């Protein structure tokens, strides 16, 4: 609810505020439904201001997706201490919670990356790579040795995990959130063991 008075923010702060609002809106909308008009109305700002910061719908989408991707990476960071499996479970639980909280937007981002703009695909791929690199560069003991075969298995496991979580959001199939996390987590060591 607005009080009728506006706070003057520095340009960087205003842009950050608009991006955070865009990510919040993306939790319940697809990327296509996230328009300049929706953001202007919800944020109580002029369309001109949004065009000033983002240049248009495509620029806005790209900025919001970058912001959301950074947020995903931050929220799913494994704890710095603990055994590798504990780190995996903590990170995976945070990922599942993130997807649950942002289903519509996350699903549309995955689809946009698969067949949308090249820039959105690049953002998706960069984020995917960052998340996968964690298995080889954690602060504590690494989850596994860094080898081409293990990297291939991690990439495949990431795609599997993403697909299972999105499918589970649509139909929980009798699995609790904890069972889902445990099942997905157990799949990674099994895949890596096959290549050992």
């Amino acid at each position: 609810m607005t009080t009728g008075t506006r706070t003057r923010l520095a340009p960087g702060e205003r842009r950050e505020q608009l991006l955070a609002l865009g990510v919040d809106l993306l939790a319940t909308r697809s990327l296509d439904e996230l328009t300049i008009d929706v953001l202007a109305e919800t944020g109580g700002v002029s369309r001109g201001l949004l065009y000033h910061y983002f240049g248009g719908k495509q620029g806005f989408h790209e900025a919001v997706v970058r912001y959301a991707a950074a947020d995903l990476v931050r929220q799913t960071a494994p704890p710095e201490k603990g055994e590798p499996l504990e780190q995996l479970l903590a990170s995976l639980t945070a990922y599942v919670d993130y997807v649950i909280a942002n289903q519509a937007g996350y699903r549309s981002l995955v689809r946009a990356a698969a067949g949308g703009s090249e820039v959105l695909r690049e953002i998706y791929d960069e984020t995917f790579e960052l998340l996968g690199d964690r298995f080889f560069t954690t602060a504590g003991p690494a989850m596994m040795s860094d080898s081409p075969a293990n990297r291939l298995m991690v990439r495949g496991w990431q795609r599997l995990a993403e697909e299972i979580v999105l499918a589970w959001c649509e139909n929980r199939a009798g699995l609790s959130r904890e069972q889902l996390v445990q099942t997905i987590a157990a799949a990674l060591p099994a895949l890596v063991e096959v290549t050992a």
Side-chain angles (χ1 to χ4, degrees):
M1 181 174 189
T2 59
T3 60
T5 60
R6 291 188 183 193
T7 304
R8 192 140 186 77
L9 298 174
E13 292 174 315
R14 174 65 74 194
R15 187 174 194 280
E16 181 87 7
Q17 180 187 51
L18 294 171
L19 288 171
L21 178 59
V23 170
D24 287 346
L25 292 170
L26 197 56
T28 58
R29 302 176 159 75
S30 71
L31 194 57
D32 289 337
E33 296 169 327
L34 187 60
T35 64
I36 295 281
D37 290 334
V38 167
L39 187 66
E41 183 179 325
T42 307
V45 296
S46 71
R47 290 177 50 154
L49 182 66
L50 294 168
Y51 280 102
H52 168 73
Y53 282 113
F54 305 110
K57 183 179 177 180
Q58 187 63 32
F60 172 59
H61 281 178
E62 290 169 9
V64 167
V65 169
R66 279 196 192 283
Y67 194 87
D71 191 43
L72 172 65
V73 169
R74 183 186 56 75
Q75 286 190 38
T76 61
E80 291 187 16
K81 297 188 191 259
E83 293 301 312
L85 187 56
E86 292 170 344
Q87 292 177 319
L88 172 62
L89 287 170
S91 185
L92 186 56
T93 299
Y95 170 75
V96 169
D97 290 344
Y98 183 91
V99 175
I100 291 169
N102 299 282
Q103 283 181 57
Y106 191 85
R107 189 176 305 280
S108 73
L109 292 178
V110 171
R111 287 184 184 140
S117 84
E118 194 172 308
V119 174
L120 294 181
R121 180 66 191 184
E122 286 174 17
I123 297 168
Y124 177 88
D125 288 344
E126 287 167 12
T127 306
F128 198 82
E129 196 77 28
L130 276 171
L131 295 174
D133 282 348
R134 288 178 173 166
F135 292 97
F136 310 102
T137 60
T138 59
M143 181 77 184
M144 64 195 69
S145 63
D146 193 349
S147 70
N150 284 348
R151 283 194 174 266
L152 178 65
M153 291 301 109
V154 166
R155 287 186 63 82
W157 176 84
Q158 285 178 268
R159 299 258 189 243
L160 173 73
E162 182 176 76
E163 183 59 35
I164 289 173
V165 172
L166 287 171
W168 181 83
C169 286
E170 286 182 4
N171 176 7
R172 303 215 170 176
L175 284 177
S176 69
R177 174 180 149 276
E178 291 73 25
Q179 289 171 314
L180 175 75
V181 170
Q182 290 288 337
T183 302
I184 295 170
L188 180 59
L191 283 170
V192 171
E193 190 176 318
V194 170
T195 64

